Amino acid sequence: MDLLLTYDVDTTTSEGRRRLRRVAKLCEGHGARVQKSVFEIVSNDKDLLLLLNRLDNIINADCDSIRIYRLPHEGFDDVQTLGIAEAQPHRDDLVL
């Protein structure tokens, strides 16, 4: 499934800045960062549940916000960009 994940973490405290780094690092392990707090993720049900559980254990539900949008199948294949934004190769072979 194609997912768009966005987050807003309260960084007014050092603990909040630490949560922000942890959320960003976790998301980097699951998808492509397309803006500072926006990730495009290709996932299956199991990995999505794991991601949601890990995010829930990191954030402060009283002041942080995470939104996940489930896109149509292969929704990333029809992305329009402006400016310096580039479409991400979500399903291409990974070269290490």
Side-chain angles (χ1 to χ4, degrees):
M1 73 187 81
D2 292 352
L3 306 170
L4 187 68
L5 182 147
T6 67
Y7 58 85
D8 186 18
V9 177
D10 180 5
T11 58
T12 56
T13 65
S14 61
E15 180 183 320
R17 291 186 290 277
R18 193 171 321 118
R19 286 194 317 273
L20 175 67
R21 287 189 300 274
R22 291 180 64 203
V23 167
K25 187 149 188 82
L26 178 61
C27 291
E28 286 171 348
H30 286 268
R33 183 190 295 258
V34 294
Q35 292 185 348
K36 292 184 182 189
S37 298
V38 180
F39 284 80
E40 293 176 350
I41 299 171
V42 176
S43 182
N44 57 40
D45 289 330
K46 178 184 172 189
D47 289 338
L48 175 57
L49 289 174
L50 290 170
L51 175 61
L52 290 171
N53 183 55
R54 290 177 180 153
L55 288 167
D56 192 43
N57 289 327
I58 293 172
I59 68 166
N60 179 335
D62 294 329
C63 58
D64 301 335
S65 171
I66 295 180
R67 298 176 69 94
I68 299 176
Y69 301 89
R70 190 177 298 219
L71 303 177
H73 181 65
E74 298 185 2
F76 295 134
D77 294 343
D78 191 27
V79 173
Q80 296 179 352
T81 63
L82 298 172
I84 62 172
E86 295 180 9
Q88 299 297 312
H90 297 287
R91 292 176 180 82
D92 290 354
D93 292 336
L94 178 62
V95 178
L96 299 175

